[in-house]
Amino acid sequence: MLLIVDDDLAIRTSLILLLKKEGFEVRGVGSPNETFDILKTVTPELILLDLNFSIETSGKEGMQLLQQIKKRYPVIPVILITGWGTIDLAVKGMKEGAIDFITKPWQNDYVLQSVRTILNLSETLPLSGSRKKLEQQYHFENIVGQDPKLLDILETVGRVASTDAAVLITGESGTGKELIAEAIHMNSKRRSRPFVKVNLGGISSTLFESELFGHVRGAFTDAKTDRLGRFEMAHKGSIFLDEIGELDLSSQVKLLRVLQERTFEPLGSSKSRTVDVRVICATNRNLEEMVAQGTFREDLYYRINLITVKLPALRERPDDIPLLSEFFVNNLKIIYQRPNLRLTPAAMKWVRTLQLQGNIRQLKNLVERTVLLAGSDTLDIVDLQRNVSGGVQPSAQKSLPEVGAITLEEMEYQMITKAMQFHQNKVSKVARSLGITRFALYRRLEKYGISYESEDA
């Protein structure tokens, strides 16, 4: 049973009719007292709670009711109902334990999507327990590893994939966030629809609207024809917003609007378009810290992280390093037509000890470089050692300056300068080696006054 709590009879009736039409059992109440009268006799699967119970829009009564519900009945999921103008109330409600929020006027499809998603996530499913069982249930062909941390993540991915829940994937650069996003899409009901990838770190604020929402002919000087934006390309499918922590505040507002209302206007157009997409975001930054510092909007943060998947660094699952190395070698056998390529047992054991700051991406580069430069198809420790670059070394303790001998900014400046010299000022290569985006590197180069080539390779 679903419970709707709203003092407005028209809103209550509208939601009840909508949900009953979809086969849900629904009851509605108009006050906190009626709410607890119901809760004494039955436990609803989900509560849709309006935050305002009077002409005043402070949300005080609704917030108090939410606190009481979560205190007495903590397992019942709550979706908040609020107006766009009071979205800050919804953010406060999320801190108090609400699981999602919808804004008035709502879109029926979005309400139903949110309700179904939360009910699906509330179901308790048995753990698969092993990689083999996971493979029988889901499609994880491109994700290599058997570490328990990874298996827990794949279990979560399998469970949330069938819903339309917004997923935030976090982890260091090179840990495979894009692969996890693809796995979510490929195991979802949208698998036959588009999967559109957007690297937000590579889009300037001036191009943000045109790239994501498209533009019409004549919207600006170079707009010779109409252009579809990434959201419209992803209609009925999934959109992967990588490096979302790189967005500036003005772009964050525009993104929040389309995520919230599921509508947008192409640049230069006055006609709104509706879009149905599943949103998956990723970042290597700490968004909670950014929210506290005021550089990432709190309301956007709560909108994108209904489910958070944190990927471990490769050094945290060392037993998977040999498996990944072998996987890369097997792929390179086909690519370079060298069917006899193999790693020796000693080499497989040695790679396990590597501290790879660039994680899976760096390991892949090391293996491929070794394959290309080795004189034999049998790759041993010495072949790998010849191709070890900065940031890759066995797990001996790295030497660092004494505490107080150098500031963090000075260390960052020296590291960037060293990387620029090593890669001959090629910005994209420097960014990859430092584990940051080109956009983030450009900011640091300007900050420290370091010259660079504008056309990087």
Side-chain angles (χ1 to χ4, degrees), residues 347-361:
M348 294 277 278
K349 186 175 180 181
W350 182 80
V351 293
R352 188 188 178 282
T353 68
L354 294 177
Q355 294 291 293
L356 297 145
Q357 300 305 311
N359 295 292
I360 298 170
R361 185 182 298 124

Side-chain angles (χ1 to χ4, degrees), residues 213-285:
F213 312 134
H215 62 248
V216 298
R217 181 181 178 183
F220 48 89
T221 305
D222 294 327
K224 307 299 184 186
T225 60
D226 291 356
R227 177 184 176 181
L228 286 181
R230 306 296 182 88
F231 268 94
E232 201 162 358
M233 291 178 188
H235 185 57
K236 296 295 184 180
S238 305
I239 189 165
F240 174 49
L241 303 177
D242 197 9
E243 298 182 13
I244 194 167
E246 301 296 333
L247 273 188
D248 62 273
L249 287 169
S250 64
S251 298
Q252 290 175 31
V253 174
K254 295 165 187 172
L255 178 60
L256 176 63
R257 196 88 188 194
V258 71
L259 297 186
Q260 180 58 47
E261 299 185 350
R262 304 287 163 154
T263 61
F264 65 92
E265 294 175 1
L267 196 62
S269 173
S270 58
K271 293 183 179 179
S272 293
R273 300 183 188 180
T274 301
V275 68
D276 172 17
V277 295
R278 202 269 180 80
V279 179
I280 307 167
C281 299
T283 183
N284 59 8
R285 304 184 67 177

Side-chain angles (χ1 to χ4, degrees), residues 86-248:
T86 55
I87 202 169
D88 57 319
L89 289 176
V91 172
K92 292 178 182 176
M94 299 288 278
K95 292 179 180 178
E96 295 291 344
I99 197 167
D100 199 3
F101 64 91
I102 58 176
T103 55
K104 295 181 283 190
W106 63 76
Q107 292 182 357
N108 288 345
D109 288 345
Y110 183 73
V111 172
L112 294 172
Q113 185 184 97
S114 182
V115 168
R116 290 195 183 106
T117 293
I118 291 168
L119 291 178
N120 286 341
L121 293 175
S122 298
E123 293 179 2
T124 302
L125 300 177
L127 294 175
S128 297
S130 71
R131 179 69 197 234
K132 186 175 181 180
K133 288 182 180 179
L134 284 169
E135 293 287 3
Q136 291 170 354
Q137 290 178 267
Y138 309 112
H139 298 286
F140 293 138
E141 293 84 358
N142 294 322
I143 300 174
V144 178
Q146 297 181 2
D147 187 272
K149 297 186 191 73
L150 180 64
L151 296 186
D152 286 345
I153 288 167
L154 296 183
E155 184 72 46
T156 299
V157 167
R159 287 191 58 188
V160 304
S162 60
T163 74
D164 279 317
V167 180
L168 175 63
I169 307 169
T170 65
E172 296 177 9
S173 293
T175 48
K177 295 186 285 294
E178 185 176 318
L179 283 177
I180 294 295
E182 287 179 349
I184 292 170
H185 175 74
M186 292 307 299
N187 287 281
S188 75
K189 297 171 185 175
R190 299 172 180 260
R191 66 178 68 90
S192 61
R193 301 293 184 140
F195 177 66
V196 177
K197 307 171 188 177
V198 187
N199 185 334
L200 295 176
I203 299 176
S204 68
S205 58
T206 54
L207 295 176
F208 177 80
E209 283 188 87
S210 175
E211 287 289 330
L212 267 68
F213 312 134
H215 62 248
V216 298
R217 181 181 178 183
F220 48 89
T221 305
D222 294 327
K224 307 299 184 186
T225 60
D226 291 356
R227 177 184 176 181
L228 286 181
R230 306 296 182 88
F231 268 94
E232 201 162 358
M233 291 178 188
H235 185 57
K236 296 295 184 180
S238 305
I239 189 165
F240 174 49
L241 303 177
D242 197 9
E243 298 182 13
I244 194 167
E246 301 296 333
L247 273 188
D248 62 273

Side-chain angles (χ1 to χ4, degrees), residues 12 18 20 62 153 171 221 224 326 347 352 380 393 418:
R12 207 161 63 234
L18 171 66
K20 280 189 173 180
I153 288 167
T221 305
K224 307 299 184 186
E326 189 172 38
R352 188 188 178 282
D380 207 349
Q393 64 178 53
K418 185 177 180 181

